[in-house]
Amino acid sequence: MKFNKLNTYTRMKRPTIKSFREVLRKTGGNITKAAAAFGVNRGTLYNWMKENEAFMQALKDERGALVDECLVSARILALGIPDRDDKGNFTGWLERPDGNMLRYLLSTLGKEEGFVESMDITTNGKEITLPRLSETDIEELKKINGIGNQE
């Protein structure tokens, strides 16, 4: 918003989606820098995004691109940079792998492949019933595990 001659607020004209995307790209999705580029405050940008889904999607897209760039760096940190001789044989590390980054990437990106440290299992509020073991089953399990009467 800006002031007109009567010192009252007038609504800043919203830019085209193309120019909005361009500014977001140049500012890396930083709202404060994008607002400054348009000569408005952060709240105005948020209003533009609230009023037009394409503007909100532009911010999501730019931030998604930033995440993609970060993943490239995280991958390099996790796997390290090997040093190789002229024949391509491994000779050491230019940058050693970072075990913490590797663990983080596997625990977040590898969930579907089973790379999780722990898994929460929920019944979504539904009660589940497990079959009761008979006395015979219990005695059989005790024998298998070496528990109980040992003569």
Side-chain angles (χ1 to χ4, degrees):
M1 294 190 189
K2 60 183 179 178
F3 289 103
N4 63 17
K5 290 181 181 180
L6 299 174
N7 230 12
T8 59
Y9 287 113
T10 59
R11 188 161 186 80
M12 176 74 181
K13 184 178 176 188
R14 187 171 47 211
T16 65
I17 188 65
K18 182 179 178 182
S19 64
F20 189 72
R21 281 184 178 278
E22 185 178 321
V23 167
L24 286 175
R25 196 168 299 115
K26 288 179 181 177
T27 60
N30 182 300
I31 296 292
T32 301
K33 290 179 180 179
F38 286 114
V40 298
N41 62 34
R42 291 168 43 92
T44 300
L45 257 65
Y46 282 110
N47 286 336
W48 292 344
M49 290 184 286
K50 190 168 38 171
E51 294 166 1
N52 186 326
E53 181 59 32
F55 281 73
M56 181 58 80
Q57 189 59 50
L59 179 64
K60 288 177 184 177
D61 292 346
E62 185 55 41
R63 288 187 173 170
L66 178 61
V67 169
D68 291 344
E69 289 179 37
C70 290
L71 283 174
V72 170
S73 297
R75 181 181 189 275
I76 292 168
L77 283 172
L79 301 178
I81 302 173
D83 191 18
R84 300 193 183 276
D85 63 18
D86 295 340
K87 295 179 183 177
N89 298 317
F90 176 78
T91 59
W93 293 102
L94 295 172
E95 187 68 42
R96 291 183 99 29
D98 182 327
N100 290 326
M101 181 57 72
L102 182 60
R103 190 175 308 109
Y104 173 76
L105 288 176
L106 286 174
S107 68
T108 55
L109 302 177
K111 284 182 182 177
E112 291 182 17
E113 289 80 15
F115 291 100
V116 293
E117 291 182 24
S118 66
M119 182 181 290
D120 290 335
I121 300 175
T122 179
T123 61
N124 291 327
K126 296 178 183 172
E127 197 171 308
I128 59 171
T129 55
L130 300 174
R132 288 184 91 50
L133 295 175
S134 68
E135 288 299 320
T136 306
D137 292 334
I138 293 171
E139 291 304 317
E140 191 64 33
L141 288 170
K142 285 181 179 179
K143 285 179 190 175
I144 292 171
N145 289 305
I147 302 171
N149 295 342
Q150 294 191 5
E151 299 172 19

